[in-house]
Amino acid sequence: MDGDAAPGPVEDVITTAIALVTGRLAPREAVTILATLAPTAVRAAPALLERRADQAVSRAAVLVTLAAEVGGADDDERQRRRVIGDLMMVARALGHADEPGDQPEG
């Protein structure tokens, strides 16, 4: 597949997280959407890792950053934690091992 291919499930998860972070979705809405998208993205992750490892690494980094942003708000804490869990589940499937907010020492 090339760069002109339709967005896949990983990109759909990223789009949903961006909508939450920018206020276009409430946490409860994001949880509902991610209940379907996140498992699909996890199943798609190995193929993305095999086919385009550089994109997989980039997508994982975006997901970790978004998870940290989601964690920054106080309202709807339980739903936000579920969203963070879903984002990190997909990031780990893409090969990312750190938790949101973890920074490499250097």
Side-chain angles (χ1 to χ4, degrees):
M1 295 190 126
D2 58 30
D4 295 333
V10 172
E11 290 80 7
D12 292 341
V13 168
I14 291 170
T15 300
T16 301
I18 290 170
L20 173 61
V21 168
T22 60
R24 291 182 288 140
L25 281 178
R28 186 180 322 257
E29 295 169 313
V31 165
T32 301
I33 294 166
L34 289 172
T36 300
L37 292 180
T40 304
V42 167
R43 286 190 301 273
L48 182 59
L49 272 167
E50 183 179 315
R51 194 176 65 247
R52 303 195 90 170
D54 58 332
Q55 280 188 3
V57 169
S58 296
R59 305 281 190 291
V62 168
L63 286 164
V64 172
T65 300
L66 288 167
E69 289 294 318
V70 169
D74 293 332
D75 60 329
D76 298 315
E77 187 64 31
R78 186 172 51 127
Q79 286 84 12
R80 289 183 185 281
R81 287 191 186 282
R82 287 181 65 189
V83 168
I84 292 168
D86 285 343
L87 297 179
M88 292 308 300
M89 177 176 62
V90 176
R92 282 189 294 274
L94 292 168
H96 199 281
D98 296 335
E99 291 298 316
D102 286 353
Q103 299 295 323
E105 293 184 28

